[in-house]
């Protein structure tokens, strides 16, 4: 499986210009330009028994959106391997479980590395609100890793059932846009309409954002509940994705 992970990482590395301009650069613009501009417009947000600037509230959102977008590549790469006939060749010397796990682990490594970089850079603009502790690295990485697993698995599910690349792109957008909108990453969940606020409680991004805010800002949340919920989401998505992948026809 190490060979597969290396192959996946190498393939992603070769895409670095595309990833920088399509994913990383927009995230940096949102963090260092747009969120600072919104500080002048949006009043400090009352949350977790304190007031947060919009930049402090938004940084976890930017990190998680970048993580989500990177994780979606997992399914896209599966479909690319199938389209190019590589999937059949790979499965001739590796099991489906090894291929599946290598894809997910590769995305976890990549998204975690970028999330750490974004987190370190972001602290420069919210340094007055940052409150780090011994639990910071664990909570931050746990939120990012679980989010990567959840959305990499989700993209695997989509890739396992669609028949054309156009439908893959369409379904990815149809799924990710509501997930981002109906969550607590851009605004506190209680600011949403009542029904949408209840739906946000079933969104893993809501809990991942809470953990990252707890890790960077020292806010008090029920971390055990957030961790348990993300673990449940990731375990369920892994199982569903693998079942669908097992049933997938590897020939294009």
């Amino acid at each position: 499986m190490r060979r597969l992970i290396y192959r996946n990482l190498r393939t992603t590395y070769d895409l670095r210009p595309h990833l920088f301009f399509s994913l990383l650069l927009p995230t940096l613009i949102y963090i260092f330009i747009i969120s600072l501009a919104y500080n002048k417009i949006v009043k400090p947000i009352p949350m977790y028994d304190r007031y947060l600037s919009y930049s402090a509230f938004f940084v976890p959102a930017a990190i998680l959106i970048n993580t989500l977008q990177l994780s979606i590549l997992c399914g896209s790469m599966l479909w690319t391997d199938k389209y190019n006939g590589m999937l059949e060749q790979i499965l001739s010397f590796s099991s489906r479980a090894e291929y599946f796990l290598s894809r997910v682990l590769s995305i976890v490594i990549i998204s975690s590395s970028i999330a750490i970089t974004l987190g370190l850079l972001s602290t420069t603009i919210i340094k007055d609100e940052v409150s780090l502790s011994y639990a910071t690295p664990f909570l931050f990485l746990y939120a990012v890793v679980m989010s990567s697993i959840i959305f990499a698995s989700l993209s695997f599910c989509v890739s396992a059932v669609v028949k054309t690349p156009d439908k893959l792109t369409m379904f990815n957008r149809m799924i990710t846009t509501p997930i981002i909108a109906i969550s607590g990453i851009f605004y506190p969940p209680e600011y949403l309409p009542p029904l949408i606020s209840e739906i946000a409680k079933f969104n893993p991004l809501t809990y991942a954002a809470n953990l990252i805010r707890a890790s960077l800002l020292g806010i008090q949340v029920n971390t055990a509940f957030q961790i348990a919920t993300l673990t449940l989401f990731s375990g369920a998505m892994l199982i569903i994705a693998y079942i669908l992948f097992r049933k997938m026809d590897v020939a294009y």
Side-chain angles (χ1 to χ4, degrees), residues 16 19 48 55 63-64 66-67 82 101 118 122-123 126 128 136 159 166 168 176 179 194 205 212-213 215 249:
R16 60 191 183 279
L19 295 178
Y48 312 115
S55 289
I63 293 171
L64 286 172
N66 190 266
T67 299
K82 178 180 176 179
L101 290 175
L118 289 173
S122 300
T123 56
I126 57 172
D128 294 335
T136 293
S159 296
D166 291 339
L168 174 63
T176 58
I179 287 175
L205 278 183
I212 293 182
R213 291 187 182 113
S215 68
D249 184 4

Side-chain angles (χ1 to χ4, degrees), residues 71-116:
S71 300
I72 294 300
L73 289 175
C74 189
S76 300
M77 290 178 176
L78 164 64
W79 215 94
T80 300
D81 279 343
K82 178 180 176 179
Y83 178 80
N84 293 329
M86 290 298 297
L87 186 57
E88 282 186 288
Q89 296 182 36
I90 293 171
L91 294 182
S92 66
F93 63 84
S94 298
S95 67
R96 291 200 182 214
E98 288 177 326
Y99 180 87
F100 175 71
L101 290 175
S102 71
R103 278 296 181 197
V104 174
L105 289 175
S106 300
I107 289 296
V108 167
I109 293 169
I110 295 165
S111 59
S112 298
S113 302
I114 294 178
I116 291 171

Side-chain angles (χ1 to χ4, degrees), residues 38-46 51-54:
Y38 267 91
N39 280 345
K40 307 291 186 180
I41 303 172
V42 180
K43 295 180 180 179
I45 300 171
Y51 285 85
L52 302 177
S53 69
Y54 190 76

Side-chain angles (χ1 to χ4, degrees), residues 12-230:
T12 307
Y13 179 77
D14 291 339
L15 295 173
R16 60 191 183 279
H18 168 73
L19 295 178
F20 177 78
F21 286 106
S22 64
L23 297 182
L24 187 56
L25 183 59
T27 303
L28 293 172
I29 290 173
Y30 273 107
I31 292 174
F32 290 97
I33 298 178
I34 296 177
S35 77
L36 290 176
Y38 267 91
N39 280 345
K40 307 291 186 180
I41 303 172
V42 180
K43 295 180 180 179
I45 300 171
M47 200 173 188
Y48 312 115
D49 297 324
R50 57 185 287 194
Y51 285 85
L52 302 177
S53 69
Y54 190 76
S55 289
F57 186 84
F58 178 76
V59 162
I63 293 171
L64 286 172
I65 290 173
N66 190 266
T67 299
L68 184 153
Q69 292 174 326
L70 281 168
S71 300
I72 294 300
L73 289 175
C74 189
S76 300
M77 290 178 176
L78 164 64
W79 215 94
T80 300
D81 279 343
K82 178 180 176 179
Y83 178 80
N84 293 329
M86 290 298 297
L87 186 57
E88 282 186 288
Q89 296 182 36
I90 293 171
L91 294 182
S92 66
F93 63 84
S94 298
S95 67
R96 291 200 182 214
E98 288 177 326
Y99 180 87
F100 175 71
L101 290 175
S102 71
R103 278 296 181 197
V104 174
L105 289 175
S106 300
I107 289 296
V108 167
I109 293 169
I110 295 165
S111 59
S112 298
S113 302
I114 294 178
I116 291 171
T117 303
L118 289 173
L120 291 173
L121 291 174
S122 300
T123 56
T124 60
I125 65 170
I126 57 172
K127 57 182 181 295
D128 294 335
E129 297 175 83
V130 169
S131 178
L132 306 180
S133 68
Y134 291 114
T136 293
F138 170 75
L139 294 178
F140 184 91
L141 279 176
Y142 197 86
V144 171
V145 169
M146 291 298 106
S147 299
S148 298
I149 292 174
I150 291 167
F151 294 111
S153 299
L154 179 60
S155 69
F156 236 83
C157 293
V158 175
S159 296
V161 297
V162 299
K163 303 300 182 182
T164 65
D166 291 339
K167 288 184 178 180
L168 174 63
T169 302
M170 180 185 69
F171 276 103
N172 280 339
R173 289 178 180 175
M174 286 176 59
I175 293 171
T176 58
T177 301
I179 287 175
I180 292 172
I182 305 173
S183 68
I185 59 174
F186 287 129
Y187 23 69
E190 57 268 24
Y191 287 15
L192 293 166
L195 177 61
I196 305 300
S197 180
E198 290 300 313
I199 295 174
K201 294 178 182 179
F202 298 92
N203 190 333
L205 278 183
T206 301
Y207 302 97
N210 285 340
L211 276 187
I212 293 182
R213 291 187 182 113
S215 68
L216 294 179
L217 306 174
I219 54 105
Q220 299 298 314
V221 299
N222 188 341
T223 54
F225 177 72
Q226 317 294 323
I227 289 172
T229 304
L230 286 175

